[in-house]
Amino acid sequence: DQQVKQNSPSLSVQEGRISILNCDYTNSMFDYFLWYKKYPAEGPTFLISISSIKDKNEDGRFTVFLNKSAKHLSLHIVPSQPGDSAVYFCAAPLTGNQFYFGTGTSLTVIP
Amino acid sequence: ETGVTQTPRHLVMGMTNKKSLKCEQHLGHNAMYWYKQSAKKPLELMFVYNFKEQTENNSVPSRFSPECPNSSHLFLHLHTLQPEDSALYLCASSQEGVSRNEKLFFGSGTQLSVL
């Protein structure tokens, strides 16, 4: 049972344009969400997070939006840069140490 | 550099071999994890250790055996693996406390191929 879903396995965007990566979740108990970025042959690195008391969190070029009623969050990258090309995972922790991850979206930013 | 170091980076082993994966965290965290990443699947949690005590074991086959001698080191002992066990094995750590807004810090992973 996949509680965090990323339905787009890949996304291509032109350099300078906006990248929007989507994530849906099913468990209404989730109250904190994270985005991780992963380059090939490296482990995932933390990118940005959002608490359910907010609907937006911004960090430089990266903004995460949370729509609790739709159980949906999205990561916006603007402007997109070639170095942003990576796999992006959304994740949510539950009780204890259980982090649930999506399957990832592979972003390619075309120069 | 995330503060979590995994060795080896790559490992090829036969089904009758015994090998171990090693993880060390330099972040002073009190929880360590093993995750498995297979192609086109979510990261799968295998084991969790809090303060050196195993708290999660997500129905992992006994051919995978974790060991946590202290809060900075974590091992995954492998024996008689199957080809379907080929995957990227990731170690992670976190600081578990009152707040649930914790984040995981991952190592670079061990890419395992079982022949």
Side-chain angles (χ1 to χ4, degrees):
Chain A
D1 176 33
Q2 216 173 313
Q3 302 196 44
V4 177
K5 301 177 185 178
Q6 293 175 260
N7 293 318
S8 298
S10 63
L11 175 68
S12 290
V13 171
Q14 288 284 340
E15 181 179 3
R17 307 294 289 267
I18 185 171
S19 296
I20 300 176
L21 297 94
N22 294 304
C23 180
D24 297 294
Y25 60 95
T26 57
N27 193 331
S28 56
M29 297 295 292
F30 289 143
D31 60 4
Y32 179 61
F33 303 88
L34 308 93
W35 284 93
Y36 282 84
K37 176 180 180 179
K38 183 182 181 303
Y39 291 118
E42 294 184 16
T45 55
F46 170 74
L47 185 60
I48 192 170
S49 63
I50 188 166
S51 166
S52 62
I53 61 174
K54 294 184 174 182
D55 54 18
K56 176 183 174 181
N57 189 26
E58 191 172 352
D59 183 2
R61 296 185 297 112
F62 302 91
T63 303
V64 56
F65 295 91
L66 176 62
N67 182 333
K68 290 185 288 293
S69 60
K71 294 192 176 69
H72 177 84
L73 62 155
S74 61
L75 174 68
H76 293 214
I77 306 173
V78 56
S80 300
Q81 299 174 354
D84 296 328
S85 297
V87 178
Y88 290 80
F89 294 94
C90 65
L94 209 52
T95 56
N97 305 95
Q98 281 281 9
F99 283 77
Y100 291 87
F101 285 83
T103 49
T105 296
S106 178
L107 173 66
T108 301
V109 179
I110 304 163
Chain B
E1 180 59 50
T2 64
V4 181
T5 305
Q6 283 187 250
T7 55
R9 292 294 302 271
H10 302 274
L11 179 61
V12 179
M13 59 187 289
M15 289 190 285
T16 58
N17 292 159
K18 288 185 180 182
K19 297 286 184 183
S20 296
L21 309 185
K22 180 183 175 183
C23 178
E24 183 175 359
Q25 58 98 359
H26 311 275
L27 300 169
H29 289 164
N30 56 19
M32 296 187 76
Y33 311 71
W34 281 115
Y35 278 87
K36 175 183 178 183
Q37 187 188 12
S38 304
K40 298 183 181 177
K41 286 188 176 181
L43 271 70
E44 301 173 50
L45 178 64
M46 300 176 72
F47 301 104
V48 181
Y49 279 83
N50 265 337
F51 297 98
K52 303 188 301 176
E53 299 294 323
Q54 185 175 314
T55 57
E56 296 283 345
N57 177 348
N58 282 5
S59 303
V60 180
S62 60
R63 57 186 184 269
F64 295 91
S65 174
E67 179 190 358
C68 188
N70 55 60
S71 57
S72 299
H73 293 86
L74 186 64
F75 296 89
L76 187 62
H77 304 298
L78 315 171
H79 64 97
T80 60
L81 294 192
Q82 304 298 311
E84 60 264 28
D85 296 323
S86 299
L88 179 68
Y89 288 85
L90 290 161
C91 174
S93 71
S94 71
Q95 182 62 31
E96 294 304 303
V98 175
S99 167
R100 291 207 290 121
N101 291 357
E102 306 294 349
K103 56 178 76 76
L104 294 172
F105 292 78
F106 286 90
S108 298
T110 296
Q111 187 64 54
L112 174 67
S113 297
V114 181
L115 305 178

